[in-house]
Amino acid sequence: MPSPNDIRKGTVISRDGGLYVVVDFQRVSPGKGSSFVRTKMKSLATGKVKEENLKASENMEFADVLNKNMQYIFSDATGHTFMDGMTYEQVAIDKDVVGDDVKYLKEGLEVIVVTHDGKPIALDLPGKIEYTVKHTEPAVKGDTVSGNVTKEATMDNDLIVRVPIFIKIGDVIRVNTQTGEYTERINR
Amino acid sequence: MLSKDDIERRLTMWRTVEDALHVFFSAHGFTQVRTPLLVRYPDLSVNLDPMQVRFDCFAPKKIPVEAALITSPEFSMKKLLGVGMEKIYTITSVFRGTEALAPHNSPEFSMLEWYHPAGYEQGMQFARELVNDVLKCQNRWPIIAHADANVDEHGDPHIDEQRFILADYPADQAALARLSKDGKTAERFELFADGFELANGYCELLDGAEQKKRFAYEQWQRKQKGKPVFGIDEELVEALDRIDGPVTGVALGVDRLVMLKYGVGDINDVQLFPAQELWSGEVME
């Protein structure tokens, strides 16, 4: 029996007689309470989103889904197209399935496409993605003592991220896709 | 490993927060203390899973010792109060088993804990001032009673406030806190900020006999759940009776304070050695 600790983005939960796809989740371990998973899920029937806290020890019922590693290729009016690197099969995914995550897509990005009954229902992005900085202003001398001095930087896929002032054009950085924040610079 | 620039950046964040804490406590007449990480008697709460450690102690002949890493420095801090120290604080690593690897959690994290002669309301006020001082903000931190906060079965409050103090916990959710005068609630409060717990405070229970009873009950609860049952710290029980009340004690997650100060949403993005990379075994893209 799976438990809420096995939940990820794209997990399909069978609950209250309906099927729900997990769009977001957060594990919470309160200091002095039992841990739980704060789960945001979308009804596959109605598209309505609801939030529920699931006790970590609870038994869950997951519906069968297929997780496929695929690469992002391009977007057009009909949606976003991904390719299976093994079979070269291509799948177009509706814009609303990808939602806000569209800003993290870049050519060749490996993602997990979750399908249920042959229909793509969710995209599971890597927790951290590397990008090359396409543009950022050079550092200005100033307050570096307080540790929070950041500036805007544009990535190779036009994603905009606040980065520390030591980041230069051409640097490769890692971005946290849960928070949208800069994580670290990659040493090359 | 992070690059040197990233290490220095994260260190600066921590240093800024820790410096502000030391200045604040020093200005209020507190003494910084040091407490052991490895103890014989860890916290008995059924919701905590202390990490167990076995080693051989040569004193003078070999004795195998069963110990655990602290989940908070609380017991040692209270023993210091028992010998007459009054305003004390410490910043220490603490360890919690079965803590999920998640944006706000890590099996090892930094805890600030302080104790001072203060009643319940005064203790809350002090906590509020301390956090506002470090964050350089003027948040009101309104006090909301547990009964009014729409708290679900997991202890998660559902209200509109972004930053607030949840107070007056049900009596059975605070084994180390004093009960209110009517005995219905415990003098326990928690600071919640941006969807997670930042600090947990008690107006401390200072009755050794009552504490022993509550520990025995927690031992029973642990046994029921099939969790390891640890012994009762008799030195702590005796120390409680020697402390003049009221005393308020608060534990605060320093990693989370750093996250709040710099608007970082993931604990792994402030730690020098991110828990996720140490423990998940997952290779990042």
Side-chain angles (χ1 to χ4, degrees), chain B residues 40-197:
Chain B
R40 198 183 279 266
Y41 304 109
D43 197 298
L44 289 165
S45 167
V46 69
N47 294 314
L48 292 172
D49 293 295
M51 296 183 192
Q52 292 174 269
V53 178
R54 288 184 185 82
F55 63 96
D56 290 328
C57 188
F58 293 87
K61 64 174 207 260
K62 188 169 133 180
I63 310 165
V65 178
E66 299 260 345
L69 295 172
I70 56 167
T71 54
S72 102
E74 183 157 4
F75 292 2
S76 299
M77 295 288 274
K78 285 179 174 169
K79 290 176 193 174
L80 292 172
L81 298 175
V83 300
M85 298 201 74
E86 286 190 336
K87 292 175 158 189
I88 52 175
Y89 77 102
T90 191
I91 298 175
T92 179
S93 276
V94 296
F95 305 85
R96 296 186 177 190
T98 65
E99 193 92 343
L101 288 175
H104 294 129
N105 293 320
S106 166
E108 175 179 356
F109 59 96
S110 291
M111 185 176 270
L112 159 69
E113 197 158 302
W114 72 87
Y115 290 82
H116 60 149
Y120 187 45
E121 281 82 17
Q122 203 190 337
M124 284 192 233
Q125 180 54 26
F126 185 86
R128 190 192 259 148
E129 279 170 25
L130 168 82
V131 175
N132 277 352
D133 186 80
V134 174
L135 298 181
K136 299 271 177 287
C137 70
Q138 302 287 327
N139 289 132
R140 290 187 310 118
W141 299 94
I143 296 166
I144 294 156
H146 192 277
D148 301 330
N150 200 9
V151 177
D152 68 18
E153 55 174 320
H154 311 289
D156 201 24
H158 296 269
I159 57 167
D160 286 338
E161 296 286 345
Q162 187 77 4
R163 295 181 178 178
F164 59 95
I165 299 180
L166 191 63
D168 306 341
Y169 274 65
D172 61 354
Q173 287 183 29
L176 298 151
R178 198 169 78 165
L179 293 187
S180 65
K181 287 207 177 68
D182 64 13
K184 285 185 183 141
T185 57
E187 293 193 331
R188 170 184 174 191
F189 60 91
E190 280 204 11
L191 272 69
F192 279 83
D194 308 355
F196 58 87
E197 294 169 284

Side-chain angles (χ1 to χ4, degrees), chain B residues 6 13 23 33 44 77 178-179 214 219 232 261 272:
Chain B
D6 283 304
M13 296 181 182
V23 167
V33 298
L44 289 165
M77 295 288 274
R178 198 169 78 165
L179 293 187
R214 295 195 197 173
Q219 284 181 318
I232 291 177
K261 168 103 182 158
L272 264 58

